[in-house]
């Protein structure tokens, strides 16, 4: 059994099958525990957030899902859908 830790506070994160599959596919997967997600305004810095900008509300405040990309899941999917259609 592997041990997984939060990227922010370094506390242990409960292991689930989904988490283990995500780590198998992408070892740079971002882990943020429930406590850090609840206190996101204070604890989570901008380097852990999406770099996309929304037209009306400014910068996206969602969490990145991997250290490889600067986007959240929503914006990453949106960008890749455009590439597939070309």
């Amino acid at each position: 059994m592997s041990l997984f830790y939060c990227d922010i506070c370094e506390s242990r994160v409960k292991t689930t099958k989904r988490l283990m599959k995500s780590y198998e596919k992408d070892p740079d997967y971002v882990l943020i525990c429930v406590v850090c997600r609840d206190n996101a305004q204070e604890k989570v810095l901008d380097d852990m957030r999406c770099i996309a900008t929304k037209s009306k509300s400014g910068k996206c405040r969602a969490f990145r899902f991997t250290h490889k990309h600067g986007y959240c899941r929503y914006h990453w999917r949106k960008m890749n859908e455009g590439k597939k259609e070309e």
Side-chain angles (χ1 to χ4, degrees):
M1 180 197 254
S2 299
L3 295 175
F4 296 100
Y5 296 93
C6 175
D7 288 336
I8 311 263
C9 67
E10 298 180 6
S11 64
R12 191 161 172 225
V13 177
K14 184 179 177 181
T15 306
T16 61
K17 288 181 183 179
R18 180 178 173 264
L19 177 63
M20 291 170 70
K21 286 180 183 178
S22 297
Y23 252 86
E24 286 173 10
K25 291 179 183 176
D26 182 11
D28 289 328
Y29 187 80
V30 172
L31 279 178
I32 301 174
C33 69
V34 175
V35 175
C36 290
R37 282 185 186 274
D38 288 345
N39 299 325
Q41 296 297 337
E42 299 106 28
K43 289 190 172 187
V44 183
L45 303 174
D46 280 341
D47 63 339
M48 297 295 282
R49 297 201 181 267
C50 181
I51 61 171
T53 55
K54 294 181 180 179
S55 59
K56 294 180 182 176
S57 60
K59 192 173 181 182
C60 177
R61 298 301 294 159
F63 299 115
R64 294 180 182 192
F65 71 98
T66 181
H67 291 286
K68 290 180 187 175
H69 306 289
Y71 297 100
C72 64
R73 285 185 192 279
Y74 172 76
H75 286 108
W76 184 80
R77 274 191 210 123
K78 206 170 179 184
M79 288 183 64
N80 286 331
E81 284 175 3
K83 290 178 184 177
K84 288 178 185 177
E85 291 173 3
E86 293 175 355

